[in-house]
Amino acid sequence: MHQNPRRLVRLLAVAAASLAGLGLAVGAAAPAVAAPAVAGVSVSAPATATAGDTFDVTVTLSGAADVYGYESVLAFDPAVASYVDGSAVVTAGGFDSVRTGSGTVDLVYTRLGTSPALSGDIAYTLTFTATAAGSTAFTVRSLSLVDSASAVTASTDAATSQAVAIAPAAVTSPSPSPSPSTGVSGAGSSGTGGSLSSTSADGLASTGSNAVPFVIAALALLVAGAAAVLFTVRRRRAGDAR
């Protein structure tokens, strides 16, 4: 059975108009969705840390109502702390994305699919590394709330943690080097060895000084003998000459 093309177009147009009217009626009958809101914001951080260590900072949105997602920007001093990439911990059943700047961490969170909006307390935690001695507080610079229809509501709530005092890293002193073994030399210096060495040197010096007269006497005898020989030779030559 063949349909008239014009008639088919008219039927589709009527069906579309009917569906549109039904949608408007349902939308008018449905209650208005309340804007997302939170009762307060707080930031918690440790009072102290040591350079080189890591620590957690937690942002809590208390008394939340109909929050399907949010964007929170946390500010701090980049000279003494840095964000640990991939450390964000958020509410289960959602998706988060983190962007970092100089001294800021921008976290965006949203529920997935047909997951219901969140109510009550919502929290997320970021991990930081203490990079240098100093002090820094962590401040929620801005906060935006999103409902299930993707409408964004800017929150005027702001919060700052207590200042985190960061101490310098401890300096480790090098271990003292072991003293070298004294061996025989040490024994000699504290006992017999040293005495023998000193005595030997003194003995040699004494022997040398006592031998000097004998050497002189020997040289004198040698000179006298040479003179006698020379005298004898001369006498023989003189006799031969006669």
Side-chain angles (χ1 to χ4, degrees):
M1 178 177 176
H2 298 284
Q3 295 283 351
N4 188 324
R6 292 183 177 178
R7 185 179 179 182
L8 181 60
V9 170
R10 289 177 182 177
L11 290 174
L12 291 175
V14 171
S18 299
L19 291 174
L22 179 61
L24 290 174
V26 172
V33 178
V38 294
V41 180
S42 62
V43 185
S44 63
T48 61
T50 300
D53 293 345
T54 59
F55 58 91
D56 292 338
V57 176
T58 300
V59 177
T60 302
L61 313 179
S62 58
D66 299 318
V67 175
Y68 193 81
Y70 59 84
E71 180 179 11
S72 173
V73 177
L74 189 67
F76 59 96
D77 185 355
V80 297
S82 63
Y83 170 68
V84 177
D85 291 335
S87 66
V89 178
V90 298
T91 305
F95 171 81
D96 67 281
S97 175
V98 175
R99 291 184 301 172
T100 59
S102 177
T104 60
V105 178
D106 184 351
L107 184 142
V108 176
Y109 172 85
T110 181
R111 304 290 281 167
L112 297 176
T114 58
S115 299
L118 298 173
S119 296
D121 292 346
I122 305 171
Y124 69 86
T125 299
L126 306 175
T127 300
F128 291 83
T129 298
T131 55
S135 177
T136 182
F138 293 81
T139 302
V140 175
R141 177 179 293 178
S142 66
L143 175 65
S144 300
L145 307 176
V146 183
D147 63 17
S148 57
S150 299
V152 180
T153 301
S155 174
T156 58
D157 292 288
T160 300
S161 73
Q162 64 178 337
V164 181
I166 301 175
V171 178
T172 303
S173 301
S175 301
S177 301
S179 58
S181 177
T182 55
V184 176
S185 176
S189 62
S190 60
T192 308
S195 299
L196 287 176
S197 175
S198 176
T199 303
S200 298
D202 294 343
L204 289 176
S206 177
T207 302
S209 61
N210 294 335
V212 170
F214 297 100
V215 172
I216 294 175
L219 289 175
L221 291 176
L222 181 62
V223 170
V229 171
L230 181 61
F231 180 75
T232 303
V233 170
R234 286 182 177 178
R235 288 185 63 182
R236 287 181 180 179
R237 287 182 179 176
D240 294 338
R242 292 177 184 177

